[in-house]
Amino acid sequence: TKWSNLPGTARPGPTMGSLGSTSQAAALALMETLLSSAGIEDLTGVRAADDYLGSQGSSMGGGSYAAANYHVAILGTPSTTENWEVMFGGHHMAYNITFLGGVGYPVPNHIGVEPKASFTLDSVSYAPLEDEGDDMVAVFKSLSDTDLSTAYLAGQNFADVLIGPVEYGTSSASAAKAKFPTGSNRTGVLVSSLSETQQALTTTAIKEWVGDYNSTIADALLAAYTSSTAYADTYLAWGGTESSGVDPDVNGTYMRIDGPRLWIEVSCQAGVVIQGKSHYHTIFRDKQYDYAGTL
């Protein structure tokens, strides 16, 4: 369960850069099998963003920013019927895809990017997470002033996602805070109270994360997360500077979708290398089936 949103962190498995070209191709072929075309586009773009950051130079991480520093690990023996897991990640990426009896659960999944705007590397343009950010913002922009006020998480500040990589394998004080809200702490606007158009926008946003995976993994999850029963217990909530509204260019802006199982967070943070520009941290989790519910 050891993963992080930071460069230079110890992770299971060898780095991509330590592998030969044949092994690197095999690792990427494995990810292409597990992910959809949209997922591969995000994976490729986020790794390119790390190479882009490395080319800029920084006192915060330096050479740790590089696609070659991403790790790949397989826990157990790959099988269509048994239990095993694929971990692939590095800075701004953590894929944890656990198979339980042949059924894949792609959570927890962390993905982020700096810069969040389009960038060019080796004459190729990338904009990973642009669609994710735009579609999430569109959900909140569709809300009335009254609903936006109801959905606002007053008195809470979000320097990062709430349920990050700290709840397993650590005694950090922050682990105690990494708990899904329950009872009266689950606040926001119920998706079921919104119009059909607004519910459709919510479904589109959810697809940006769930749809990054092969349909054999994603379809059942998407159906469960977006059913009428689920939407009757799914809240939209946001935080940050209330007077600025839901603006991803303002540091501290935070958005989430909190369902009976589904948990998606988007945190807008100050740039580390690209100064003066915010960047995205996101998390996709399942309250019941993180790591296939085995922990």
Side-chain angles (χ1 to χ4, degrees):
T1 61
K2 190 166 187 176
W3 55 277
S4 175
N5 62 280
L6 298 173
T9 300
R11 293 174 170 87
T15 63
M16 292 289 283
S18 71
L19 301 176
S21 57
T22 300
S23 294
Q24 287 191 39
L28 293 176
L30 172 62
M31 296 309 295
E32 288 173 358
T33 300
L34 297 169
L35 301 178
S36 65
S37 58
I40 286 296
E41 184 176 345
D42 283 343
L43 181 149
T44 302
V46 170
R47 294 182 73 220
D50 256 21
D51 282 337
Y52 179 81
L53 293 182
S55 71
Q56 304 301 301
S58 172
S59 60
M60 299 291 290
S64 295
Y65 295 104
N69 292 336
Y70 280 57
H71 292 244
V72 59
I74 297 174
L75 287 69
T77 302
S79 166
T80 58
T81 58
E82 300 300 326
N83 306 339
W84 61 290
E85 181 177 352
V86 174
M87 299 181 74
F88 186 96
H91 175 229
H92 278 162
M93 184 180 294
Y95 286 107
N96 298 284
I97 307 170
T98 307
F99 287 85
L100 187 65
V103 179
Y105 297 92
V107 282
N109 169 216
H110 161 67
I111 192 163
V113 68
E114 184 185 1
K116 76 179 193 313
S118 176
F119 65 93
T120 300
L121 180 71
D122 297 332
S123 301
V124 178
S125 294
Y126 300 91
L129 303 194
E130 181 178 54
D131 290 343
E132 283 85 344
D134 288 350
D135 286 343
M136 184 68 98
V137 169
V139 173
F140 288 89
K141 292 295 187 184
S142 77
L143 299 182
S144 67
D145 289 344
T146 298
D147 283 342
L148 273 176
S149 179
T150 300
Y152 184 65
L153 298 165
Q156 300 184 49
N157 297 310
F158 297 92
D160 205 340
V161 296
L162 180 64
I163 315 294
V166 297
E167 77 278 23
Y168 295 113
T170 178
S171 59
S172 168
S174 59
K177 300 178 182 178
K179 306 294 182 185
F180 296 111
T182 59
S184 61
N185 290 325
R186 286 188 73 213
T187 60
V189 171
L190 278 172
V191 176
S192 59
S193 72
L194 303 177
S195 70
E196 288 186 7
T197 298
Q198 291 169 315
Q199 291 187 37
L201 288 172
T202 304
T203 298
T204 297
I206 292 170
K207 285 180 180 178
E208 291 292 355
W209 280 266
V210 183
D212 268 358
Y213 295 89
N214 182 287
S215 62
T216 60
I217 295 174
D219 286 356
L221 293 175
L222 188 63
Y225 297 153
T226 62
S227 69
S228 58
T229 300
Y231 274 175
D233 190 29
T234 298
Y235 292 87
L236 303 176
W238 71 284
T241 305
E242 188 172 15
S243 60
S244 298
V246 182
D247 187 342
D249 293 327
V250 174
N251 298 335
T253 298
Y254 170 90
M255 298 166 278
R256 77 173 176 228
I257 302 174
D258 172 12
R261 283 174 49 187
L262 176 66
W263 179 266
I264 294 175
E265 296 179 82
V266 177
S267 173
C268 305
Q269 301 186 334
V272 175
V273 178
I274 311 300
Q275 296 291 310
K277 300 289 186 180
S278 66
H279 72 288
Y280 288 133
H281 280 190
T282 82
I283 193 82
F284 159 38
R285 310 192 74 128
D286 188 306
K287 298 174 185 178
Q288 295 180 25
Y289 290 103
D290 272 6
Y291 303 105
T294 57
L295 292 178

